[in-house]
Amino acid sequence: MEAQTLKAEVRTTSGKGPARQLRMRGLIPAVFYGPGKEPTSLQLDPVELSRLLSGPFGRNQVIELDIGGTKELTLVRDLEVSPVSRAVLYADFYSVAMEREVRAIVPFETKG
C-alpha cells in the first residue's frame, strides 16, 4: 500500500479563538505527535483530508504529511467531526516508522 500525501502548514497560535478563525478561513487545526517527536500544531485543508479518508482504506492507511517540505509518515489517530454537518473540525496525526509495530483498532463488520 502506497502512502497518500497531504500538505500541512505549521501554525503558531493555539486555543479556541484562533481555531475558530482558522475554520472561518476554510482550514482546520491539527496536531502531529509521536514517540521522539515534538508535538507540532498544524493547519490543513479539510477537503483534501476528506478526499484521502473517503478512499477504500478510510482512516486505516498511512498518510505522508508534507509539513513545510519535511515529509513524515503518519496515521490518523483521532478526528473531531461536527454532529450536524459531518464536517471535519480537528485531526490528530500519530507518527509511525515502517520498522516499528503499531497497534490500531480496526472496525470489523460482517454481513449475512
Side-chain angles (χ1 to χ4, degrees):
M1 175 170 60
E2 191 172 311
Q4 301 286 333
T5 303
L6 179 65
K7 286 189 168 267
E9 297 174 16
V10 176
R11 63 184 168 101
T12 56
T13 59
S14 63
K16 188 189 321 182
R20 286 181 179 172
Q21 291 173 356
L22 193 64
R23 289 186 192 104
M24 287 175 57
R25 292 193 337 228
L27 300 171
I28 60 169
V31 69
F32 166 71
Y33 59 94
K37 304 278 184 179
E38 189 69 30
T40 307
S41 297
L42 305 172
Q43 61 187 20
L44 50 98
D45 183 15
V47 175
E48 287 296 315
L49 179 61
S50 296
R51 182 187 59 80
L52 284 177
L53 299 179
S54 65
F57 299 109
R59 289 176 52 178
N60 302 314
Q61 64 179 320
V62 176
I63 296 174
E64 186 177 57
L65 270 183
D66 183 1
I67 306 170
T70 305
K71 298 192 185 277
E72 298 281 351
L73 291 177
T74 64
L75 287 174
V76 175
R77 185 68 167 246
D78 189 31
L79 284 178
E80 184 178 331
V81 179
S82 169
V84 177
S85 66
R86 305 305 299 163
V88 178
L89 300 175
Y90 179 80
D92 276 352
F93 293 97
Y94 187 75
S95 174
V96 296
M98 295 308 260
E99 63 275 355
R100 192 177 71 226
E101 181 179 317
V102 175
R103 292 181 179 254
I105 297 173
V106 180
F108 181 76
E109 183 177 316
T110 61
K111 293 184 181 180

